[in-house]
Amino acid sequence: MVALGFNLIYGTTKFFHMAHGAVITVAVFGAYLAVEAGAPWLFSFPTAAILAGALGWGLETAIYRPLRKRGASSLVLLVASLATLILLQNLLALAFGSQTRVIPGTPLGQRGYDLPGVALTPNQVTIILTTAFLTALLVAFLQGTRLGKAVRAVSDDREVAEVVGINVDRVLMVVFVVGSAYAGVAAVLVGGETGIQPTMGMSLLLKAVIASIIGGIGNIYGSVAGGLLLGVTENLGIWKVPAEWKDSIAFAILILFLLFRPQGIFSK
Amino acid sequence: MDYIYHLLVLVGIYGILALSLNLVVGHAGILSVAHAAFYGIGAYATAILTTRAQAGFLSSMVLGVLVAGLLAMTIGLVLTKLSGDYLALASFGFNVIVFGIFLNWDGLTRGPLGIPGIPRPAILGLAFSSNLHFLALTFLVTALVYLIIQYLTKVHFGRVLKAIREDKVAAKACGYDADRYQVVVFALGGALAAMAGSLYAAYITYVDPSTFSVMESILILTMIIVGGLANAKGSLLGVFLLILLPESLRFLGLPGTIAAQTQQMIFGLVLILVILYRPRGLLGEFRL
């Protein structure tokens, strides 16, 4: 689902929004603070979504739009967003320390439902259901609404979209806010599985980038499929090779895909 | 005084890294975030060969440089098939993979424990054991690298690179094998980075994987972007600023981890500000 948000942003803006990783970490820590201050656990989802959305908006306004107006290449945007990622991630590490925390009230480790052969915790069930629901919602938005159509138009061809009178800046803003909010929700869910820490954004983000590329950039179903495939390969790989090599394997898969099938499994 | 020598040695080592990355990014237009991988290969070559095989410093450096150069050539062949964002991402991935090898191949690299007890070099009977002597050695190598790069970018080879950077298709149309030029530059950059790694290992006398993560690659990239791309003096200026600026934090007496995080934060901030307000960097001739 992080991949979903990332892919939406990349597909439309055509550059690697690395700061996506920082956005979701900030969101998840915001949610942590809110729950710590007495809000119920369920409240952490909207908090994270709103925070992430707001931060996405802020980054777009303060950094990306001025750069785009100057005609900066996507590489400049990539470096700028990488810098933002480093800045925010270390800011969080300074504020919260680097130990792992858990959002209070998360239904952790409870025994949930036993399907034949698999045991799922409530959190995992929540993840699956939320992902399915939010994917459907995003598809409905993109296919069914006027604004969604505009988003697709801009991601197909920005200049033509501008010519037919679409306000590209506004569309990009919407994309940033929605994409970030999605990732915020995803981060809370992941936080329920692994706990939260300032560096989680970076590793989540890299997974998202890889999943998006494997699945096919700019294709929503592709992100979900890519995420699934990546998860399965990584975890099957652990049978044969030690778990420490997980990251190396993920990136090796990425490089293979870039070389031999750069359009991903589901090309657009 | 010893502390100042220490800082200058660091400036020299990072100077080599920045100069060689500048050749790759600034002159040849390949945005690589994998420089720390080659840096690490050089460092580990010296560490492993001098502690286990009783090899001399120079021979370990030569071997490290060769390995890194050959590997960079292979990676370069892969990278030049890609372009733009994908190239940057693939180089990022390559750095992660090499970092994974440093971290997890316990038999060769001792994993996260690192390799201690690397001897300071002795070349032709001259021992470079004090910081001042080592500074002389570093200065010599850095100056050599600087001159080589200045020369390469002045002659025909450098002009072809510039043409490729500005417009790869046009350069190809003029009959230059653009991919091969880029591969050669990438291999050269990797080899020079390994040289810096060798010096680093022999200077600090200890290596561990954390020095060669992607963060380090981004740090070197920050230095050359701040200093200005495609300008050797700019790269050195960037190194000076970004080594000395965070060094002043030390006098605030912050504890280790906080200092490291503040330092990275400063790098991030400086990089954003430079990109927003001075996209050419301080002395740059080319902007991404």
Side-chain angles (χ1 to χ4, degrees), chain A residues 16 70 74-76 78-80 82-84 86-87 90-91 93-94 206 209 213 217 244-245 248 251-252 255 258-259, chain B residues 31 78 82 84-86 88-90 92-93 96-97 100 104 218 225 258 261 264-265 268 271-272 275-276 279 288:
Chain A
F16 283 116
R70 211 171 60 206
S74 62
L75 282 180
V76 175
L78 170 67
V79 175
L82 210 52
T84 316
I86 293 166
L87 176 69
N90 283 292
L91 210 59
L94 280 177
L206 292 176
V209 174
I213 288 177
I217 282 288
E244 309 91 83
W245 294 98
S248 302
F251 273 99
I255 293 178
L258 282 179
L259 274 180
Chain B
L31 183 69
V78 174
L82 306 167
D85 299 350
Y86 287 104
L89 190 65
F92 192 107
V96 172
I97 293 173
N104 299 323
I218 297 174
I225 291 179
I258 294 188
Q261 284 158 357
Q264 292 190 0
M265 218 176 73
L271 189 54
I272 296 175
I275 289 181
L276 275 177
L288 279 174

Side-chain angles (χ1 to χ4, degrees), chain B residues 38 40-50 53 55-71 108 190-191 194-195 198:
Chain B
F38 303 115
I41 289 169
Y44 270 101
T46 292
I48 292 166
L49 290 173
T50 52
F57 171 72
L58 268 186
S59 49
S60 77
M61 184 192 255
V62 170
L63 200 81
V65 166
L66 278 179
V67 171
L70 283 175
L71 190 68
L108 189 69
M195 215 176 212
S198 242

Side-chain angles (χ1 to χ4, degrees), chain B residues 48-128:
Chain B
I48 292 166
L49 290 173
T50 52
T51 55
R52 297 207 198 136
Q54 270 75 44
F57 171 72
L58 268 186
S59 49
S60 77
M61 184 192 255
V62 170
L63 200 81
V65 166
L66 278 179
V67 171
L70 283 175
L71 190 68
M73 203 171 76
T74 325
I75 299 302
L77 283 173
V78 174
L79 288 185
T80 46
K81 297 262 175 296
L82 306 167
S83 64
D85 299 350
Y86 287 104
L87 193 158
L89 190 65
S91 72
F92 192 107
F94 171 70
N95 202 145
V96 172
I97 293 173
V98 172
F99 177 75
I101 293 173
F102 291 151
L103 190 64
N104 299 323
W105 192 353
D106 287 341
L108 189 69
T109 64
R110 295 185 11 114
L113 296 176
I115 301 176
I118 303 160
R120 283 280 176 97
I123 300 165
L124 302 173
L126 277 170
F128 295 91

Side-chain angles (χ1 to χ4, degrees), chain B residues 5-20 57 61 133-151 192-193 195-197 199-200 232-233 235-237 239-240:
Chain B
Y5 296 149
H6 166 73
L7 288 184
L8 288 176
V9 170
L10 286 186
V11 168
I13 291 175
Y14 278 100
I16 301 173
L17 289 171
L19 285 168
S20 53
F57 171 72
M61 184 192 255
H133 289 142
F134 202 91
L135 176 60
L137 177 69
T138 316
F139 181 76
L140 205 72
V141 180
T142 313
L144 198 69
V145 170
Y146 180 82
L147 291 176
I148 292 176
I149 287 179
Q150 284 296 56
Y151 173 74
L192 291 175
M195 215 176 212
L199 280 173
Y200 173 85
K233 290 193 192 73
S235 300
L236 291 181
L237 183 67
V239 171
F240 256 106

